[in-house]
Amino acid sequence: MAVSAQAHSFDPAAEMRAHIGRHTDKSFDWDAFPGSRGFPELERAQMRYIGAGGSPKTDDPSTLRPGKFTLSLVHQPVGKYAPCHSHEVVEHFLVLEGVLTVGWTWGD
């Protein structure tokens, strides 16, 4: 049985690019949440950095692969809101400008 060994060339620049997400290479995706289409009051945009961050767009090539964490920026114009929803994981918010009003329920 013949076994051929191929030399695997290591490209450090390519390896580093796979782990770097630059803000200047990104733009807001105004269609990140397809379930909100047709509802102008739910208008919001997402800029993904690590993983899909709640969006079904898991194949975004400009996004770093997630482990147990995702990170994205969400731009939500004044007067717009997100639909009621839940996650199997904790969701954190950091408000950079404006006011965020959040409601929740627990149990039944």
Side-chain angles (χ1 to χ4, degrees):
M1 172 162 104
V3 177
S4 64
Q6 293 182 347
H8 176 64
S9 61
F10 178 70
D11 181 0
E15 183 66 23
M16 288 185 70
R17 278 192 303 274
H19 298 281
I20 296 173
R22 298 182 195 278
H23 180 74
T24 56
D25 296 338
K26 303 201 173 286
S27 60
F28 278 105
D29 177 2
W30 285 92
D31 191 36
F33 306 99
S36 296
R37 286 183 196 144
F39 299 95
E41 65 276 11
L42 302 180
E43 183 179 58
R44 59 193 166 145
Q46 181 186 45
M47 184 182 293
R48 293 175 289 280
Y49 283 89
I50 303 171
S55 173
K57 297 187 175 182
T58 57
D59 60 348
D60 182 348
S62 72
T63 305
L64 302 177
R65 288 178 292 165
K68 298 183 185 323
F69 178 82
T70 65
L71 175 70
S72 62
L73 298 179
V74 175
H75 174 75
Q76 192 160 3
V78 173
K80 309 297 181 176
Y81 58 92
C84 292
H85 63 281
S86 64
H87 298 283
E88 300 260 338
V89 297
V90 175
E91 188 171 25
H92 297 274
F93 298 94
L94 172 64
V95 179
L96 299 177
E97 183 177 315
V99 175
L100 175 66
T101 303
V102 178
W104 69 90
T105 62
W106 193 266
D108 295 333

